[in-house]
Amino acid sequence: MKKTLLALTVPALLVAGSASAGISLYDQDGTQVTMSGAAEVQYRLTAVENMANDDAQLRIDDGDLALRIQHQVSADLYAVGAMELNVGETDEMEFDASGDKVVRNRNGLGSVTNDVLFVGLGGNFGEMTFGRQTAIIDDAGVGVDIELKDTAGVSYDDVSMDQYIKYRFSGEKFWAGAGYNIAQSDSTTGKKGEELLEIAAGVPFGDFEVRGYYGDFEHEAANKEQKAWDLEFVYAAGPIYVGALYGQSDRGDNADVKTWELAGSYTLGKNTFGLGYAQNSGDAKADDATNFYANVAHQLTANTRAYVELGYEDLETDNDFGYVVGMEVKF
């Protein structure tokens, strides 16, 4: 469960592409084609790696290339298609023979994989898309962490779905979304693969916003199930951002985990200073974890940033510091 549910400060329900705003390749006669991309490299040592006496590594954290196509069918209806490639990323999460997620190519060459490929329809009613997509719950969170919040915080078994139906709506008074991943049965075992049902919504009140996320995940073939939810409170005005969160996760094995998180940032000129705290409290002692982090990001240009982050992880068995220095260039 490496992908944390507490990842972003702005719901990506409202954003078409994940890499960046992108550039326009074509815009004529009701047809729009946009492309976006990102490259990010880090020198990183996580607290967990430090506990295991691993060495710091120069790591390819992000390599994205995304394409979005939109055709205007009528005044109130458009058709959309999107594709995104992960290019050369160091840590690729894959399924092994038992159905568990494992890390490949940690110190080797990364590969080119397709993690987004969908089509859909949109209009005043919102947007409905079908295909390979990222789950809505991946966009939850109040944290301002860049990299070093691995163990504390509500986590989710998987966020990349292949048989996914997603609905998104963004209005002046609220936004909402829902998604369902269709589980496929294994021909050998007869057990179903990944099934996910999730909902999310948010309501702004001036500079404040209240939002919530819920996901119900089950993977019979891997003998995994999880229900998770969180409730978030965010204040964002000018250079100031403050977020608070409470969430719970039930893995189906009587191992409930409660999570609290506080985070904030302040932007001064081209520099953003972030600070955060997250704590897990579980029925099993092994689930207890506390995380502190602090970071500084400098915006070299509108699409280029450099950053430094220091993190501290306190687990039931050990504790230590981690650090990361990185740079991201995108378009």
Side-chain angles (χ1 to χ4, degrees):
M1 293 166 31
K2 290 292 292 179
K3 180 65 180 180
T4 58
L5 184 119
L6 319 178
L8 304 176
T9 61
V10 180
L13 285 168
L14 314 181
V15 182
S18 61
S20 66
I23 58 176
S24 176
L25 300 180
Y26 183 85
D27 189 353
Q28 190 173 339
D29 300 326
T31 295
Q32 297 177 344
V33 181
T34 57
M35 176 179 286
S36 60
E40 185 173 0
V41 177
Q42 304 171 337
Y43 185 69
R44 187 194 75 167
L45 178 69
T46 69
V48 175
E49 290 170 343
N50 205 0
M51 295 174 202
N53 296 317
D54 288 344
D55 292 330
Q57 63 168 322
L58 194 64
R59 174 174 178 266
I60 309 300
D61 179 65
D62 201 9
D64 288 330
L65 187 62
L67 189 70
R68 178 182 170 96
I69 305 167
Q70 183 170 311
H71 298 293
Q72 201 68 34
V73 179
S74 66
D76 300 321
L77 183 69
Y78 65 83
V80 63
M83 178 178 67
E84 183 172 328
L85 300 177
N86 280 343
V87 184
E89 294 184 13
T90 303
D91 291 352
E92 283 295 333
M93 301 301 294
E94 300 177 0
F95 284 108
D96 63 12
S98 66
D100 289 329
K101 283 281 191 176
V102 294
V103 176
R104 307 291 190 193
N105 298 322
R106 182 178 185 273
N107 296 310
L109 296 176
S111 57
V112 178
T113 58
N114 171 242
D115 62 346
V116 172
L117 184 60
F118 64 81
V119 297
L121 295 171
N124 295 333
F125 59 88
E127 185 175 278
M128 181 79 75
T129 51
F130 308 84
R132 182 175 297 133
Q133 305 173 69
T134 302
I136 295 171
I137 207 166
D138 181 52
D139 302 323
V142 301
V144 296
D145 56 296
I146 297 173
E147 184 67 30
L148 298 177
K149 191 180 66 179
D150 293 325
T151 56
V154 178
S155 60
Y156 213 69
D157 274 310
D158 197 15
V159 294
S160 298
M161 299 289 144
D162 279 339
Q163 309 282 324
Y164 192 62
I165 302 171
K166 180 191 292 187
Y167 170 73
R168 303 175 296 184
F169 175 81
S170 177
E172 294 182 359
K173 296 183 178 180
F174 74 97
W175 62 265
Y180 178 69
N181 192 66
I182 304 170
Q184 301 294 312
S185 296
D186 186 278
S187 59
T188 304
T189 64
K191 294 184 177 180
K192 291 184 177 181
E194 293 180 302
E195 184 174 17
L196 173 65
L197 175 64
E198 57 178 357
I199 56 174
V203 181
F205 300 94
D207 295 330
F208 291 89
E209 183 179 9
V210 179
R211 59 198 188 214
Y213 294 80
Y214 171 81
D216 187 346
F217 175 86
E218 186 172 1
H219 193 325
E220 288 185 354
N223 194 27
K224 292 182 178 180
E225 59 178 300
Q226 182 185 23
K227 294 180 175 66
W229 62 269
D230 76 2
L231 187 61
E232 307 171 6
F233 303 89
V234 169
Y235 172 80
I240 301 173
Y241 167 85
V242 180
L245 177 150
Y246 174 75
Q248 290 189 12
S249 175
D250 177 5
R251 295 199 304 268
D253 54 1
N254 296 320
D256 295 345
V257 179
K258 299 177 178 64
T259 296
W260 298 264
E261 184 173 14
L262 294 173
S265 68
Y266 183 78
T267 299
L268 182 63
K270 293 185 177 182
N271 299 303
T272 299
F273 303 87
L275 188 66
Y277 165 82
Q279 178 182 351
N280 285 359
S281 177
D283 293 338
K285 277 293 184 180
D287 291 322
D288 291 350
T290 302
N291 176 259
F292 297 91
Y293 59 87
N295 53 56
V296 180
H298 178 71
Q299 207 72 32
L300 297 168
T301 70
N303 289 322
T304 305
R305 68 168 182 162
Y307 55 83
V308 178
E309 185 173 53
L310 180 66
Y312 175 77
E313 300 269 5
D314 187 357
L315 309 181
E316 191 266 335
T317 55
D318 205 350
N319 59 81
D320 218 324
F321 286 93
Y323 59 85
V324 63
V325 180
M327 182 174 177
E328 180 187 35
V329 181
K330 61 183 181 179
F331 67 88

